[in-house]
Amino acid sequence: MAVWALGLNHHTAPLDLRGRFAFALDQMAPALAGLRQSHARHPEAAILSTCNRTEVYCASDNVQIDHTLGWLAQAGDVPAHALRDHAYVLQNDQAARHAFRVASGLDSMVLGEPQILGQMKSAVRAADDAGALGQTLNQLFQRSFAVAKQVRSSTEIGAHSISMAAAAVRLAGNLFEDLREIKVLFVGAGEMIELAATHFAAKSPKSIAIANRTLERGEKLAGRLGGEVMRLADLPERLHEFDAVVSCTASTLPIIGLGAVERALKKRRHRPIFMVDLAVPRDIEPEVKALHDVYLYTVDDLAQVVQTGHANRQAAVAQAEAIIDAGVQSFMHWVDQRDPDGGVVPLIQQLNAQADEWRATELARARKRLAKGEDVEAVLEALSRGLTQKMLHGAMAELHGGDAAHREQATQAIERLFLRGPAR
C-alpha cells in the first residue's frame, strides 16, 4: 500500500487562498465521495480542514498524486498549476511523519497547541462515517494520536504556548486601557469562539453577547458566560454597541461587510473597534482593515503574537521529533508487513484460520465430554493436550523427516519459533 498527503497550510499559502479550500464537517461526506470517485482505484481518503490548513490523505496500491491535486484544484475552483505552487506533496514515511507532526502540534502556528488533535479526530470520524477510511489510513491516524499523546505527556512542547484566543485578548489589552470597560461580541458558537469567549470572560468585560444562526447553541454558550444571545440577522443594526468583535463561523461568504462597519463607526462617533476574524474563509471583508478606528486581525496577523516563547520550546521539539521518528518507523514496518508481494498477509491469514480450526475442534470435543458429566479438570487437561499436540505436530514431523541438512534447517527454525521464551 502507498500513502500520500497533499495539502496547503499557513506556511505555504496566504489566507485567501486557503479559504478557497475550506471544508466544513457537513461537507466532508460528499467531498470524500467525489474525491474517491475521481480516482480510478477509489483510494482510502480523509480530509483535514482547519483555519490553518487543508490536507488530503490517501492510501491505495498505486500512488495517484496528480489525480488528487486535480480534484482539490477543482474543488477550490483554482487552476491546478496555481495550487501546485502553494501545495506540498508527501509520500509514505514522509506523509506519516507529517501526520504525526501535525497531530503533535509541531506544524501549528501555535507550537504545541492542543486544538489540532481534536480537529484531526473529527476529520477521521467524518472519513469513517463516510466509508472512506480503510485499514491503512485508520492505522496511520490512530498511531498519530498515540504519538501525539506521548509527545504531550513526555515533553514540554505545549508549555508556555499562546493560543489564538489568548493572543486576541493580549492584542485587545494593547488597545483598551481596561478590558473591564469594554463590550464584546462573539459571532458564532463553535469551538474557537467558545475558547476565545472563555479567555475574554476571564478579564470580566462590561458585557458579552453571542450572535449565532441557531439561538439554541448561542444560548448555551451565553448562559455559561453570563452573556446575552442575539440573532445573526440583528448584527448589522447592533454592531455599533460593541468595542470588540471576534468572529469565527463556517460561512462561505463574509457576514460582516464594509458598509455595516462604516455605519457602526459613524454611530460610535469613531470610537475604535477591535475586530478579530478567526474564520477561513473570512467572516469580515478584508477592506474593513483600511478603515480608520478599526483594528482588524486575521489568523495570519496573529502569527507574530503566538510565536512568543517559541525559542524556549525548541529543546522539547527535539524530544518530540525523536518520538515521531520512532512512530514513523513502526508504522512503515506495519505497512511493509502487509505488502501482498511479500506473502506475509496470506500466510498470517492461513495461520489464523488453521489455529481457529484446531481451537474449534478441541472446544467441540470438550463440550461433548462436559455434557456427558465428565470431570471438568480432566476435560481441560485433555483440551490443552489436544491443542498442544496439534500445534507441535508439524514441527515434530520436520525433525524426524528428511536428510541431515533438512533436519538442521528445521532445528534452527523451530528454535526461533518455539524456544524464544514465554510471551509477555
Side-chain angles (χ1 to χ4, degrees), residues 89-152:
V89 177
L90 305 161
Q91 295 184 49
N92 299 324
D93 60 330
Q94 293 302 313
R97 177 171 283 103
H98 181 74
F100 292 178
R101 295 186 83 254
V102 170
S104 302
L106 267 67
D107 196 59
S108 296
M109 183 180 290
V110 184
L111 183 65
E113 58 92 6
Q115 283 81 22
I116 185 62
L117 184 58
Q119 292 166 329
M120 282 190 79
K121 290 181 177 180
S122 295
V124 171
R125 280 194 298 271
D128 193 24
D129 291 344
L133 195 70
Q135 193 168 24
T136 301
L137 282 191
N138 185 57
Q139 275 288 323
L140 172 69
F141 287 117
Q142 294 307 320
R143 287 167 183 260
S144 73
F145 302 155
V147 165
K149 182 178 180 181
Q150 187 178 356
V151 167
R152 186 75 52 191

Side-chain angles (χ1 to χ4, degrees), residues 27-107:
Q27 297 175 312
M28 286 298 184
L32 287 165
L35 168 62
R36 300 183 73 209
Q37 289 167 9
S38 70
H39 290 63
R41 295 177 181 268
H42 304 307
E44 300 177 28
I47 300 172
L48 173 64
S49 182
T50 74
C51 59
N52 287 332
R53 71 185 66 246
T54 292
E55 296 177 341
V56 179
Y57 292 86
C58 294
S60 178
D61 57 356
N62 185 36
V63 177
Q64 304 170 65
I65 291 172
D66 287 341
H67 285 83
T68 309
L69 188 139
W71 174 84
L72 186 60
Q74 186 176 28
D77 194 23
V78 168
H81 67 85
L83 172 59
R84 194 183 296 274
D85 290 341
H86 294 278
Y88 42 89
V89 177
L90 305 161
Q91 295 184 49
N92 299 324
D93 60 330
Q94 293 302 313
R97 177 171 283 103
H98 181 74
F100 292 178
R101 295 186 83 254
V102 170
S104 302
L106 267 67
D107 196 59

Side-chain angles (χ1 to χ4, degrees), residues 79-348:
H81 67 85
L83 172 59
R84 194 183 296 274
D85 290 341
H86 294 278
Y88 42 89
V89 177
L90 305 161
Q91 295 184 49
N92 299 324
D93 60 330
Q94 293 302 313
R97 177 171 283 103
H98 181 74
F100 292 178
R101 295 186 83 254
V102 170
S104 302
L106 267 67
D107 196 59
S108 296
M109 183 180 290
V110 184
L111 183 65
E113 58 92 6
Q115 283 81 22
I116 185 62
L117 184 58
Q119 292 166 329
M120 282 190 79
K121 290 181 177 180
S122 295
V124 171
R125 280 194 298 271
D128 193 24
D129 291 344
L133 195 70
Q135 193 168 24
T136 301
L137 282 191
N138 185 57
Q139 275 288 323
L140 172 69
F141 287 117
Q142 294 307 320
R143 287 167 183 260
S144 73
F145 302 155
V147 165
K149 182 178 180 181
Q150 187 178 356
V151 167
R152 186 75 52 191
S153 62
S154 59
T155 76
E156 294 187 1
I157 197 68
H160 314 297
S161 66
I162 302 175
S163 69
M164 290 288 185
V169 173
R170 177 178 291 188
L171 288 171
N174 292 340
L175 178 62
F176 300 107
E177 186 175 336
D178 189 351
L179 294 183
R180 292 173 298 180
E181 296 299 319
I182 69 170
K183 296 181 178 181
V184 188
L185 170 65
F186 297 97
V187 185
E191 183 180 351
M192 282 299 295
I193 286 296
E194 185 173 355
L195 188 62
T198 301
H199 276 74
F200 269 95
K203 300 297 181 181
S204 303
K206 181 180 290 185
S207 69
I208 288 176
I210 309 292
N212 198 48
R213 279 195 172 85
T214 56
L215 284 180
E216 183 180 356
R217 188 166 183 178
E219 285 171 350
K220 186 180 296 184
L221 179 57
R224 189 166 65 81
L225 299 172
E228 67 165 313
V229 66
M230 57 184 276
R231 296 183 184 278
L232 204 57
D234 297 334
L235 191 152
E237 296 303 318
R238 295 193 56 188
L239 189 59
H240 67 282
E241 300 175 19
F242 302 97
D243 306 292
V245 179
V246 182
S247 186
C248 187
T249 74
S251 175
T252 56
L253 296 172
I255 56 177
I256 301 177
L258 177 64
V261 179
E262 287 176 329
R263 290 191 295 274
L265 284 173
K266 189 175 181 180
K267 290 181 180 179
R268 289 174 60 82
R269 298 182 180 179
H270 294 278
R271 283 182 293 117
I273 302 180
F274 172 78
M275 307 186 85
V276 177
D277 188 352
L278 296 173
V280 178
R282 297 175 189 256
D283 276 347
I284 303 173
E285 287 186 342
E287 293 80 6
V288 168
K289 194 165 190 173
L291 295 174
H292 293 295
D293 304 315
V294 172
Y295 297 82
L296 172 61
Y297 298 88
T298 67
V299 288
D300 287 356
D301 294 326
L302 296 176
Q304 291 184 345
V305 179
V306 301
Q307 294 307 319
T308 301
H310 199 106
N312 297 334
R313 300 193 296 278
Q314 291 309 304
V317 170
Q319 294 176 292
E321 294 285 12
I323 294 170
I324 288 167
D325 284 343
V328 170
Q329 291 177 16
S330 176
F331 173 70
M332 294 309 300
H333 178 66
W334 179 86
V335 171
D336 291 341
Q337 281 187 318
R338 298 190 59 77
D339 181 4
D341 294 334
V344 176
V345 173
L347 182 58
I348 291 173

